[in-house]
Amino acid sequence: MEKVLEVKDLNISFHTFAGEVKAIRGVSFDLLKGETLAIVGESGSGKSVTTKSIMRLLPESNSEIKGGQILFGGQDLTKLKDKQMQKIRGKDISMIFQDPMTSLNPTMKIGNQIMEPLVKHQNMSKSQAKERAIELLKLVGIPKPEIRIEQYPHQFSGGMRQRVVIAIALACNPKILIADEPTTALDVTIQAQILELMKDLQKKIDTSIIFITHDLGVVANVADRVAVMYGGRIVEVGTADEIFYNPQHPYTWGLISSMPSLDTKDEELFSIPGTPPDLLDPPKGDAFAPRNPYVLKIDLEQEPPFFKVSDTHYAATWLLHPNAPKVEPPDAVKRRQSQFPMIKEGK
């Protein structure tokens, strides 16, 4: 399949009073046309920094792309000047942010906010842009769009505001849509509606989606492929089925085990012990080693390479080395996997 985006060996640092934070360390992945790639991991693993670097939205005052490439449409986005990126942002690559209230201007009517990228990037007249804005509100499921277009963000519920943000992001039919935890600020019922909406819209406009989340339950329902991030690196990548039904990295096991289950009333909720690494001083060897119950001596000395599980599935863990002891996923993983077929049917 055609690649619409290639990220190669990306390294990003933040310069702080305490020193250099090596936030992204050698991240590589591809995004295929029409697919949804989910990037999952705990807070601080580097998910949002990676995707904001694609949009070139990191603060220039203290962030630095130390190396690597972000290839889109034959261009390396890391080399473009801000004026060149302005022609790409909102037109070819759009982003849905976590909190819809802070994403919208409270002093501007909803219609004007949707019309803005249409006038700027599509060279539409105001009347054409207004007509298109009404179509977009209909597309994202907002009733009476002719009336709602004249209203302000405070007159919309949280779920409706997020629909408006999605309408703005889709206004120019972008090739890539980045969704940065778009349902975190919403309740469970509205969350399900927004996820269903995004799946439906993807089919209609044939866009590629990068979906960022810490919630593996969300991922099971929307993703074609999953990349698991930890400590500024990708530690496992594969199809959604491979990650959920045949996870290989102990960190992925921990994330799956941490999923709440309706079937386990008396069981204590599992959590991964310890804390993520301090990237001011990245650890030697495998960054997950201090939290890994299956840690090997080599984990403390040498960073694991990616081992091939299948043509589409790779994991960076020494447990996959031919000489490593055979370790089975914990029972909690197997118990959670029994939930996935129900999720999978909705795909």
Side-chain angles (χ1 to χ4, degrees):
M1 285 183 71
E2 180 188 343
K3 294 178 183 178
V4 292
L5 183 76
E6 293 178 77
V7 177
K8 296 183 176 182
D9 197 25
L10 188 64
N11 290 271
I12 300 172
S13 289
F14 289 90
H15 301 287
T16 70
F17 290 114
E20 181 183 347
V21 178
K22 296 171 183 174
I24 302 299
R25 305 180 297 139
V27 164
S28 299
F29 64 87
D30 299 327
L31 179 66
L32 305 178
K33 185 175 180 180
E35 81 163 346
T36 297
L37 171 68
I39 302 178
V40 303
E42 293 168 291
S43 296
S45 59
K47 309 182 300 295
S48 293
V49 172
T50 299
T51 48
K52 282 180 180 175
S53 71
I54 296 169
M55 293 282 284
R56 293 285 300 279
L57 289 176
L58 297 175
E60 292 184 3
S61 57
N62 70 336
S63 67
E64 181 185 0
I65 296 177
K66 304 274 285 189
Q69 295 177 302
I70 302 171
L71 302 176
F72 171 75
Q75 294 179 297
D76 183 357
L77 301 185
T78 66
K79 307 295 184 190
L80 298 187
K81 294 180 179 177
D82 195 52
K83 277 196 173 182
Q84 293 171 301
M85 276 303 302
Q86 285 175 14
K87 295 177 182 177
I88 294 174
R89 284 192 210 109
K91 180 176 181 286
D92 295 317
I93 307 176
S94 287
M95 195 163 191
I96 303 168
F97 293 96
Q98 189 172 126
D99 185 356
M101 197 57 195
T102 56
S103 300
L104 296 170
N105 186 334
T107 67
M108 281 179 68
K109 289 180 180 178
I110 289 296
N112 291 337
Q113 297 189 56
I114 301 173
M115 289 161 60
E116 192 172 38
L118 293 168
V119 172
K120 180 177 175 61
H121 293 301
Q122 303 289 323
N123 297 318
M124 287 187 182
S125 66
K126 285 194 176 180
S127 60
Q128 289 173 321
K130 185 174 182 179
E131 194 175 317
R132 175 62 176 152
I134 291 170
E135 288 176 10
L136 285 163
L137 287 181
K138 280 182 185 173
L139 187 67
V140 297
I142 291 181
K144 299 179 182 177
E146 299 85 356
I147 298 171
R148 302 291 263 172
I149 202 170
E150 299 296 333
Q151 295 179 334
Y152 291 89
H154 73 271
Q155 294 173 280
F156 287 69
S157 67
M160 286 296 182
R161 283 196 291 263
Q162 193 62 296
R163 287 172 185 264
V164 171
V165 172
I166 292 171
I168 294 170
L170 296 177
C172 298
N173 292 327
K175 293 182 176 70
I176 298 172
L177 180 64
I178 299 171
D180 188 355
E181 304 219 31
T183 59
T184 302
L186 307 174
D187 67 60
V188 176
T189 306
I190 302 302
Q191 183 181 89
Q193 292 175 10
I194 295 296
L195 291 172
E196 196 60 40
L197 171 67
M198 289 186 67
K199 286 197 311 184
D200 186 46
L201 290 174
Q202 184 181 28
K203 293 174 188 172
K204 288 180 179 176
I205 67 170
D206 195 29
T207 190
S208 301
I209 297 176
I210 299 176
F211 198 103
I212 303 168
T213 183
H214 61 271
D215 186 344
L216 275 168
V218 168
V219 169
N221 206 22
V222 299
D224 299 305
R225 285 193 304 131
V226 179
V228 181
M229 282 195 80
Y230 182 79
R233 296 186 187 277
I234 290 177
V235 297
E236 186 165 6
V237 63
T239 66
D241 280 356
E242 288 168 335
I243 296 300
F244 282 101
Y245 290 100
N246 188 30
Q248 297 294 318
H249 199 285
Y251 180 60
T252 311
W253 296 347
L255 290 178
I256 291 173
S257 299
S258 300
M259 290 176 61
S261 169
L262 295 173
D263 302 326
T264 50
K265 295 177 183 177
D266 300 323
E267 181 187 12
E268 183 181 345
L269 190 64
F270 176 85
S271 63
I272 304 172
T275 57
D278 179 4
L279 295 181
L280 274 167
D281 183 23
K284 184 183 177 185
D286 185 353
F288 188 61
R291 307 173 71 186
N292 184 359
Y294 313 99
V295 64
L296 305 173
K297 185 179 178 183
I298 194 171
D299 283 317
L300 304 171
E301 300 167 357
Q302 195 173 333
E303 184 188 334
F306 273 106
F307 290 92
K308 181 178 178 179
V309 183
S310 75
D311 288 343
T312 54
H313 190 186
Y314 295 82
T317 171
W318 286 114
L319 290 175
L320 291 175
H321 191 279
N323 297 333
K326 298 299 176 188
V327 176
E328 289 289 320
D331 290 340
V333 171
K334 296 169 185 176
R335 285 196 295 272
R336 297 300 181 271
Q337 284 173 333
S338 65
Q339 303 170 60
F340 299 150
M342 291 183 292
I343 298 171
K344 193 181 175 189
E345 285 169 13
K347 247 182 173 183

